[in-house]
Amino acid sequence: MKKIKEYYLKNKQLFIIIISIILILTAVIEIYFVLALRVTSNDECSWVPEKVSPDSSVIVFDKVKVGGVTWNAGIRNGDKFLQIQNINVSDPNEAQLILNKISYGKFANYTVEKKDNNQIFHTQVFVKKFIQIGSLANAILALFWMLIGFIVLMSKPDGRVQKLFYAIGVGVVFFTSNLFLPIDIIPSMVKDYFVLYPLIILLWSLGVGFIPFLFLYFFWTFPTPFKFLEKNWLRKSLLILPIIVAIVIFVSVFSAFRDKNFNSDFFKAIKNSLVILLSTSNIVALISLFINYRRLKSWEEKKPVFIILVAYAIAIAAVIYTARIAPAISDTVFNSPEYYTPIILIILVPIAFAYSILKYQLMDVSIVIKNTLMYGIATLALAALYFFIIYVLGQSISEAIGTQFQTAIAGLIFITFALVFQSTKDKFQDFLTARFYPEQFAYQRVLIKFSNDVSTVVGLENILDSMKGTFVEALKIKNFGILLKENKHDNLRLVKSVGIESQELYLNGKLVDDFISNKSLSSKHPVIEREDFAKIFPAEVSALTKENIFTIVPMIIKSKFIGLLLFGLKYSGSQFAGKDLDLLFAAANQAAISIENARLYQSEAEKLRMERDLDLARKIQQGLLPTTIPVIKGLDIAGEMIPAMQVGGDYFDLLPVSESKLFVVVGDVSGKGLAASLYMAKLQTMIQLSCNDRKSPKEILIELNRHFYKSIERNSFVTMTLALFDNQAKILKFCRAGHLPLLMASNGNVSSFRTQGIGVGLEKGNIFESTLTEEEIPLKPGQTFAFFSDGITEAMNENNDLFGEENLQKILKNNTSANSNEIMNEIWNAVKKFRGTAEQNDDMTMVLVKVADEIQHRI
């Protein structure tokens, strides 16, 4: 199904051309049928069937025109019609078929029984021919509407107004398809047209069923749509109702043909209903057009609509006159056809549309037509002039230097003038554009200059200002906006605008890519127009309409859009169309390239600035770490931090406060980058000032939290473990402020200490102090204490598996006899092997303190 849709969209214009040619030819044949094959023989009277018994009837003459051909043949009202051409007749339809075979100017032989004395006599009636003016008017209307509809649709195949206008032309052609049936077909002849008449009835039913609703839909949309058309149920009704009406008409008419019920009450009710439906829809459409006309502000806008309004009013008046007044003032159409000729005025409607399209650029078509005609005629005239010059010049030179070189000279002159012709033709077309279409010529010059200049503008803001200056100041557009797509989102944000009241305008662009893909199959320029707003921006359509936006041009790079340009009406008050859209689209794409280059440059600059910040943060972070491992008798100490690519918040410090006392600090500041590094610097200063041999870890952390809470942002905090090794008292005191547990390995066993405590800076003091717990551990020879950050336990491999605390405990358990540096190296190697090719995702910090045997000797 998708492939079929893509094939249709790619060949959409070809399908339109083929269908239009078929329908236009059909309309031409319909006119031929009316003028040549559906001409009715006329004897200037009426034939009325009259029952003489339940099973038989006769034909009675009525409304015999005084001085007419039947009157002159001696026939009067009330006389009985017995034979025509010596054939007995009792059915007016059969008699008419016989009469139609007689050529104009010949005489038909009638056998008549006089009303007064029942005398039977033979007479000859001069045969006239009658052209059905109503059928001719409908056929011409169908041809004109299809021709104009084809031009309208080809200029803008996706326009809603254009498609509706074209659909009306199709409907009128279908409506007049009944002209292909033999005139006054009778049930006895149905079998001769068994294949033909169901198809014609179907087309006629579709035409009659759809035309009323198409007229309503079109004039509710043209020249500006009514607000109530936004209701989804109404648009669906305008599609479903004509289908239902067409089905009812087809079934009823088809049944009437088969069952010979043309005079049944049901069939008459159907006919009356159709007349009411057609009349009502046309009157409502006329009123709608009048309301729309009143809504237009300037006379320039009103002028083309006024012409159509007058033509439409005349056409409806002609229909009403022909249907109601003409029958009242004349006895029969055959006797007084001149009374019915005003019906031909219905063709004024498509003529008015054609004039307005050519004169006032209606429905965005006139530029295309004018350009095509003007440039085509100009190019042909210029070509004819050049060929004339070539011929005269070639003949003159040949005569001067001899005929033996005539062929070579002619070829050389032709090539020379062909090159001259091409350049002159382009200049001549530019002259024509400047002379006859000054607004389009100005747009062309401005947009071409913008496309050339915008690539030299540096900086996103300068590019946006250049776009705004070009489209607003140079093109004199009152409503304009630039929306750019936000990174990794479908939202489009308004960054520059003029004439748009809502500066916080956002559009959801999730449907734009699909629209561009589908539209690109049938058009080189996938421009979003007002009729597309509801489909692409369903939530924002009212906002766009309120801001008087009519055209949206996407800025596209490599089949992906990066933003949208919003346009109101041109300075002349008309909508952008034709060549204007080509120029706007080209300028938009050039602007898109410049914007994307500016973004890449800006992104690269941001990246370089971030690299500088990260480099500074790394230097700060490295500067906070101990440069040397302090020597404390009886303790084997190792400490190291392996930073990740992105600076984290890990920090450790070793602070000796006496020959026998050492503070060990391991912390992790939430967040990354320069901010985390600066918080670490502040934290280190506070800790170094607070740590002395008179304070316990708990006291230091309580004091640290009080000061740190006042200066840290509310969304930042620090987890840390602070431990005091007292070699003299053979005690380890430590507190854990929300940090990872302390591990102790001894004699092949590993213990985990998870004391209470929350992070530093999370709370101003009360909760922090009440939850913080200080624990003491006696120091014994062979103990290994591990302080670490989550960068070790949360190290991930290619499958996103975590290294985990269990692996760390296993290494400590298996290496209790090794010194601290050996254990440290074993841990780093294990983590690196586990991680494999996966990148390091966080800083890894480890401090190991091993109690040496000297403590035991001192005991």
Side-chain angles (χ1 to χ4, degrees):
M1 193 68 184
K2 185 179 179 182
K3 289 184 178 180
I4 295 174
K5 182 180 179 182
E6 289 180 356
Y7 179 79
Y8 166 73
L9 291 173
K10 285 181 180 178
N11 299 278
K12 186 176 182 179
Q13 289 196 340
L14 178 61
F15 289 142
I16 292 173
I17 292 171
I18 293 172
I19 292 170
S20 299
I21 290 173
I22 293 171
L23 291 172
I24 289 170
L25 288 176
T26 302
V28 172
I29 295 171
E30 287 172 353
I31 295 174
Y32 171 75
F33 263 62
V34 174
L35 294 176
L37 302 181
R38 287 186 62 90
V39 178
T40 305
S41 294
N42 182 20
D43 60 356
E44 297 182 322
C45 67
S46 293
W47 302 337
V48 180
E50 186 176 283
K51 286 281 185 180
V52 293
S53 69
D55 298 325
S56 63
S57 61
V58 295
I59 301 174
V60 177
F61 288 96
D62 188 31
K63 297 180 181 178
V64 178
K65 182 179 181 180
V66 177
V69 292
T70 302
W71 178 278
N72 293 335
I75 301 172
R76 300 293 182 265
N77 291 339
D79 292 347
K80 294 179 182 179
F81 194 5
L82 303 179
Q83 290 182 340
I84 180 172
Q85 300 294 93
N86 299 320
I87 300 173
N88 293 330
V89 289
S90 59
D91 186 342
N93 289 324
E94 293 178 351
Q96 185 66 56
L97 288 173
I98 297 171
L99 184 62
N100 288 343
K101 295 177 182 178
I102 301 174
S103 301
Y104 174 80
K106 301 293 184 179
F107 286 88
N109 296 313
Y110 283 19
T111 300
V112 180
E113 180 182 328
K114 295 294 291 182
K115 173 185 177 182
D116 298 332
N117 52 22
N118 296 328
Q119 180 183 354
I120 297 175
F121 73 100
H122 303 280
T123 186
Q124 288 187 321
V125 178
F126 183 83
V127 176
K128 289 186 173 182
K129 292 292 182 178
F130 171 76
I131 296 175
Q132 299 183 41
I133 300 298
S135 297
L136 180 63
N138 285 328
I140 296 173
L141 177 71
L143 177 62
F144 282 14
W145 208 299
M146 270 308 306
L147 286 170
I148 301 163
F150 171 68
I151 296 171
V152 166
L153 190 63
M154 287 299 292
S155 69
K156 200 171 182 181
D158 296 314
R160 185 200 297 178
V161 174
Q162 288 78 6
K163 287 191 284 190
L164 287 171
F165 189 87
Y166 182 83
I168 291 174
V170 175
V172 177
V173 173
F174 283 5
F175 175 76
T176 52
S177 62
N178 65 326
L179 297 175
F180 292 124
L181 285 174
I183 190 167
D184 297 324
I185 189 170
I186 58 176
S188 61
M189 295 178 60
V190 168
K191 63 181 183 297
D192 299 328
Y193 299 92
F194 184 76
V195 177
L196 179 64
Y197 86 84
L199 176 61
I200 293 176
I201 292 173
L202 175 61
L203 294 178
W204 181 79
S205 301
L206 289 171
V208 176
F210 272 85
I211 282 176
F213 299 95
L214 286 172
F215 266 99
L216 287 177
Y217 201 171
F218 176 78
F219 285 106
W220 284 345
T221 308
F222 171 86
T224 54
F226 284 94
K227 196 171 183 63
F228 57 74
L229 268 182
E230 296 176 6
K231 298 183 183 299
N232 193 41
W233 66 266
L234 180 59
R235 292 199 300 271
K236 287 184 178 179
S237 299
L238 290 171
L239 177 63
I240 296 171
L241 286 176
I243 294 174
I244 296 173
V245 172
I247 292 172
V248 172
I249 294 171
F250 176 76
V251 172
S252 61
V253 175
F254 187 77
S255 300
F257 263 95
R258 291 182 64 86
D259 300 336
K260 306 179 183 180
N261 290 325
F262 290 106
N263 296 318
S264 68
D265 293 337
F266 174 74
F267 187 72
K268 289 179 181 178
I270 291 291
K271 288 174 63 178
N272 293 333
S273 299
L274 290 179
V275 171
I276 294 171
L277 179 62
L278 286 167
S279 303
T280 304
S281 65
N282 275 282
I283 292 171
V284 172
L286 179 64
I287 294 170
S288 302
L289 182 61
F290 178 74
I291 293 171
N292 249 332
Y293 168 78
R294 293 291 301 272
R295 286 163 58 185
L296 298 174
K297 296 177 182 178
S298 66
W299 174 240
E300 289 299 320
E301 292 178 282
K302 288 184 174 183
K303 226 186 295 186
V305 179
F306 178 76
I307 293 170
I308 296 168
L309 181 64
V310 171
Y312 197 12
I314 291 173
I316 290 179
V319 172
I320 294 173
Y321 164 82
T322 305
R324 299 296 178 186
I325 299 175
I329 61 176
S330 65
D331 49 2
T332 175
V333 65
F334 295 101
N335 291 345
S336 307
E338 65 277 5
Y339 286 100
Y340 296 84
T341 52
I343 192 63
I344 202 72
L345 294 175
I346 61 174
I347 66 173
L348 287 178
V349 179
I351 291 173
F353 271 105
Y355 177 79
S356 297
I357 285 170
L358 288 169
K359 180 73 175 175
Y360 299 105
Q361 303 182 10
L362 197 67
M363 289 194 285
D364 309 323
V365 179
S366 62
I367 291 176
V368 177
I369 299 172
K370 282 186 177 181
N371 285 354
T372 302
L373 293 175
M374 187 66 70
Y375 291 154
I377 293 170
T379 302
L380 288 174
L382 195 61
L385 177 63
Y386 275 126
F387 278 110
F388 177 74
I389 293 172
I390 290 171
Y391 175 78
V392 173
L393 194 60
Q395 291 293 326
S396 301
I397 295 174
S398 297
E399 290 177 2
I401 64 174
T403 58
Q404 64 270 28
F405 302 107
Q406 185 173 4
T407 303
I409 292 170
L412 182 63
I413 293 174
F414 181 81
I415 294 171
T416 303
F417 272 87
L419 296 174
V420 174
F421 170 74
Q422 183 59 38
S423 60
T424 309
K425 177 179 74 73
D426 295 337
K427 291 179 181 179
F428 189 51
Q429 287 183 342
D430 287 341
F431 167 76
L432 290 175
T433 304
R435 175 67 179 83
F436 295 101
Y437 316 108
E439 184 182 53
Q440 183 185 339
F441 184 73
Y443 283 5
Q444 181 176 326
R445 298 292 294 272
V446 169
L447 293 176
I448 290 174
K449 185 177 185 302
F450 168 77
S451 297
N452 294 331
D453 294 346
V454 72
S455 58
T456 64
V457 181
V458 178
L460 179 60
E461 197 65 26
N462 293 331
I463 293 170
L464 297 177
D465 287 336
S466 176
M467 294 171 66
K468 178 181 173 183
T470 298
F471 292 115
V472 176
E473 297 169 14
L475 302 185
K476 299 179 182 179
I477 299 173
K478 295 180 181 178
N479 300 87
F480 173 74
I482 306 173
L483 292 102
L484 293 182
K485 197 174 183 181
E486 295 182 332
N487 292 333
K488 298 180 182 179
H489 295 285
D490 290 321
N491 289 334
L492 292 147
R493 180 172 60 90
L494 186 68
V495 293
K496 290 284 180 182
S497 68
V498 168
I500 295 178
E501 296 180 3
S502 176
Q503 293 301 306
E504 299 299 322
L505 181 65
Y506 278 85
L507 295 181
N508 190 324
K510 65 181 181 180
L511 299 177
V512 175
D513 277 323
D514 291 338
F515 174 82
I516 291 173
S517 299
N518 292 331
K519 189 75 175 287
S520 298
L521 295 173
S522 59
S523 174
K524 293 185 294 184
H525 310 311
V527 176
I528 304 170
E529 301 191 81
R530 180 166 276 198
E531 53 262 32
D532 303 316
F533 291 176
K535 181 169 57 178
I536 304 170
F537 309 111
E540 302 90 356
V541 60
S542 58
L544 290 170
T545 305
K546 182 181 177 182
E547 299 291 353
N548 292 319
I549 301 301
F550 285 83
T551 306
I552 299 178
V553 180
M555 294 184 285
I556 301 173
I557 295 180
K558 296 179 180 178
S559 301
K560 293 291 182 182
F561 83 101
I562 65 163
L564 301 173
L565 300 182
L566 310 182
F567 292 94
L569 297 175
K570 295 193 292 185
Y571 180 72
S572 61
S574 60
Q575 195 171 333
F576 285 98
K579 189 69 174 176
D580 296 334
L581 294 180
D582 295 346
L583 296 171
L584 289 179
F585 195 79
N589 284 348
Q590 189 62 49
I593 294 171
S594 297
I595 289 172
E596 193 66 11
N597 289 339
R599 279 179 164 179
L600 291 173
Y601 177 82
Q602 188 174 355
S603 176
E604 191 64 27
E606 288 284 343
K607 185 178 179 182
L608 291 173
R609 185 164 59 251
M610 189 177 295
E611 285 294 335
R612 289 195 296 269
D613 289 346
L614 289 174
D615 187 54
L616 177 59
R618 288 189 192 99
K619 290 177 180 178
I620 294 173
Q621 190 176 28
Q622 294 296 324
L624 298 176
L625 303 178
T627 55
T628 59
I629 300 297
V631 177
I632 302 294
K633 190 176 182 180
L635 297 179
D636 178 18
I637 306 167
E640 188 176 357
M641 186 196 73
I642 299 177
M645 291 297 293
Q646 188 174 15
V647 176
D650 279 15
Y651 157 70
F652 82 93
D653 210 346
L654 302 170
L655 303 172
V657 293
S658 70
E659 292 182 358
S660 60
K661 291 183 179 180
L662 173 72
F663 278 100
V664 175
V665 186
V666 175
D668 188 358
V669 180
S670 65
K672 297 182 183 296
L674 187 59
S677 298
L678 294 174
Y679 280 134
M680 278 196 294
K682 188 167 189 170
L683 180 66
Q684 183 195 46
T685 302
M686 289 182 179
I687 288 177
Q688 290 181 350
L689 291 174
S690 300
C691 289
N692 57 63
D693 59 357
R694 297 183 303 276
K695 294 180 182 178
S696 68
K698 183 174 182 179
E699 291 171 339
I700 294 171
L701 287 177
I702 290 173
E703 182 181 343
L704 181 67
N705 182 71
R706 288 175 181 171
H707 293 293
F708 207 67
Y709 179 80
K710 297 176 183 178
S711 58
I712 197 170
E713 293 181 2
R714 293 282 73 84
N715 60 344
S716 298
F717 60 93
V718 181
T719 64
M720 62 188 309
T721 297
L722 179 61
L724 173 61
F725 285 86
D726 189 344
N727 192 358
Q728 185 177 1
K730 300 178 276 301
I731 290 293
L732 168 63
K733 294 180 180 180
F734 77 95
C735 286
R736 191 177 68 92
H739 200 66
L740 296 175
L742 170 64
L743 300 181
M744 183 188 74
S746 179
N747 298 323
N749 295 314
V750 177
S751 301
S752 177
F753 297 92
R754 300 176 183 271
T755 59
Q756 288 188 333
I758 63 173
V760 176
L762 281 173
E763 193 270 333
K764 63 182 179 179
N766 295 334
I767 298 175
F768 183 85
E769 294 174 19
S770 63
T771 57
L772 190 64
T773 303
E774 185 176 271
E775 191 166 336
E776 294 184 0
I777 302 173
L779 295 178
K780 297 179 182 180
Q783 291 174 324
T784 301
F785 294 93
F787 304 85
F788 58 95
S789 68
D790 57 5
I792 297 174
T793 55
E794 294 180 3
M796 290 188 292
N797 60 14
E798 299 94 332
N799 299 322
N800 292 330
D801 300 323
L802 299 180
F803 183 76
E805 190 177 314
E806 291 182 2
N807 284 328
L808 180 58
Q809 290 186 17
K810 186 177 180 181
I811 296 171
L812 294 172
K813 180 180 178 181
N814 294 336
N815 292 276
T816 53
S817 61
N819 63 41
S820 59
N821 281 318
E822 291 172 342
I823 298 171
M824 182 83 74
N825 290 332
E826 187 69 24
I827 291 170
W828 293 146
N829 290 334
V831 172
K832 185 177 181 181
K833 182 179 179 181
F834 173 82
R835 203 173 65 238
T837 59
E839 291 186 359
Q840 182 180 336
N841 60 314
D842 200 359
D843 295 344
M844 297 190 298
T845 303
M846 173 70 74
V847 175
L848 294 175
V849 180
K850 187 167 185 179
V851 182
D853 291 338
E854 290 139 26
I855 290 185
Q856 183 64 34
H857 294 320
R858 292 180 65 180
I859 292 174

